[in-house]
Amino acid sequence: MTIQELYDRIGGNYAEIISRLQMDAFVSRFITKFADDSSCHDTIAAWEAGDERGTFEAAHRAKGVCANLSLTKLANLSSDICEAMRPGNEELRARTDVDALVAELRDSHAAALAAIAEFTS
């Protein structure tokens, strides 16, 4: 699997990341390190623990990490969770199915990690 195929598979934007990092070797190095980042796991764990502030903070970190790596699907999910959980956004939170967003984040993150593991093997 090529790095471009990996990005296509996990809902990333290869054109965006290659324009930023310029070389597949750099993209490969950083996407491999993504597996060690805990921000998506932390978002899920905080939500499951009922920690609204922790969910916001972890989702904010996940949004940044995923956006920097052009992992568009994960960045968008993290952003939606972050905005719904942002202090003062109670009206948005009431209109948002955060349970569904967190479930989709869990599934998409697991799929991304599996694809990255396959890419690196």
Side-chain angles (χ1 to χ4, degrees), residues 26-89:
F26 289 148
V27 177
S28 295
R29 185 177 334 163
F30 284 105
I31 196 66
T32 301
K33 290 182 181 195
F34 175 70
D36 297 329
D37 179 76
S38 69
S39 58
C40 288
H41 288 294
D42 294 345
T43 301
I44 297 161
W47 177 252
E48 290 174 347
D51 180 358
E52 291 182 5
R53 180 71 181 180
T55 301
F56 165 73
E57 291 172 356
H60 193 272
R61 285 193 325 272
K63 175 178 75 168
V65 168
C66 295
N68 283 332
L69 290 171
S70 299
L71 299 175
T72 309
K73 183 175 184 176
L74 291 171
N76 290 342
L77 287 167
S78 298
S79 179
D80 290 347
I81 294 166
C82 178
E83 291 311 310
M85 300 309 294
R86 184 178 298 280
N89 272 0

